[in-house]
């Protein structure tokens, strides 16, 4: 009974305390990049996965000019290297704007579609038609997985600029797959 009387007589104090507590939970200004709050866990995971995927693909693509046997595949690799470089710059920019740490959680992982270190080593010892087969298969797997990841980002990402980049990468990846098929 005394507790009930205490709560009833102190109701204004409880209401004021609730207001102060709720005000403390309200959105606070984000220090750092002004758009950091727009990035959700899907955005961060996508960015942190796409960077090592593109870095590994770039290692393989950089081998192509001196090792490809098919001139069409060598030309494809030149364009792919430019695209991968631009994507990496865009992804690193997004990572910086997201205020997420560059912790490289996927470093060293060999996931579906990721060019493995073994594939890069093996391709580095090949040339001509053998290189072309290894390169085309690895890049096809990379592009196919990238399309799936970009679709996931577009569907569940929170930051408009990340979803937009995913859409651009998805479109470019589809074009690259078509060009790769035409070159092979």
């Amino acid at each position: 009974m005394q507790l009930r009387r205490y709560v009833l007589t102190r109701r204004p104090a409880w209401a004021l305390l609730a207001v102060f507590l709720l005000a403390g939970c309200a959105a606070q200004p984000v220090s750092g990049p002004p758009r950091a709050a727009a990035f959700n866990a899907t955005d961060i995971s996508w960015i942190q996965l796409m960077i090592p995927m593109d870095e590994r693909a770039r290692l393989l693509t950089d081998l192509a000019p001196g090792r490809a046997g098919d001139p069409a595949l060598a030309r494809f690799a030149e364009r792919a290297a430019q695209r991968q470089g631009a994507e990496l710059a865009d992804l690193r920019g997004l990572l910086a704007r997201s205020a997420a740490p560059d912790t490289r959680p996927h470093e060293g992982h060999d996931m579906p579609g990721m060019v493995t270190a073994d594939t890069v080593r093996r391709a580095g010892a090949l040339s001509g038609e053998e290189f072309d087969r290894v390169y085309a298969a690895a890049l096809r797997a990379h592009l196919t997985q990238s399309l799936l990841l970009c679709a996931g980002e577009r569907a569940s990402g929170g930051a408009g600029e990340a979803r937009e980049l995913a859409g651009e990468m998805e479109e470019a990846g589809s074009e690259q797959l078509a060009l790769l098929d035409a070159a092979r």
Side-chain angles (χ1 to χ4, degrees):
M1 185 67 176
Q2 284 184 341
L3 178 62
R4 184 169 188 242
R5 190 174 333 138
Y6 177 81
V7 169
L8 291 175
T9 59
R10 302 289 194 270
R11 191 173 296 170
W14 285 104
L16 187 58
L17 178 60
V19 167
F20 283 127
L21 287 174
L22 291 174
C25 294
Q28 301 296 316
V30 176
S31 61
R35 301 183 68 144
F39 288 83
N40 67 17
T42 299
D43 298 319
I44 303 304
S45 296
W46 175 73
I47 295 166
Q48 289 178 331
L49 178 56
M50 289 306 302
I51 289 173
M53 283 193 60
D54 272 3
E55 286 174 340
R56 291 265 191 97
R58 182 70 189 261
L59 291 174
L60 184 62
T61 297
D62 286 346
L63 295 173
R67 301 201 170 276
D70 182 350
L73 191 63
R75 286 189 301 276
F76 167 83
E78 288 175 22
R79 290 187 302 273
Q82 292 170 351
R83 184 183 63 79
Q84 291 161 352
E87 283 179 7
L88 282 166
D90 290 342
L91 288 163
R92 287 181 181 127
L94 280 179
L95 184 62
R97 286 190 297 285
S98 76
D102 189 3
T103 57
R104 301 294 179 130
H106 302 289
E107 188 76 30
H109 296 176
D110 291 335
M111 297 170 280
M114 184 174 276
V115 175
T116 66
D118 183 56
T119 300
V120 173
R121 276 192 298 277
R122 195 166 33 110
L126 301 172
S127 62
E129 192 175 311
E130 290 175 323
F131 174 85
D132 294 355
R133 271 195 305 275
V134 169
Y135 176 75
L139 204 60
R140 186 172 283 109
H142 165 75
L143 290 167
T144 301
Q145 185 65 19
S146 293
L147 292 175
L148 291 172
L149 294 170
C150 288
E153 167 58 25
R154 284 188 323 99
S156 301
E161 62 186 313
R163 289 191 318 271
E164 184 178 319
L165 178 59
E168 292 168 9
M169 289 173 61
E170 199 172 8
E171 184 178 324
S174 293
E175 291 171 6
Q176 291 287 309
L177 272 174
L179 290 171
L180 182 60
D181 289 342
R184 290 296 307 150

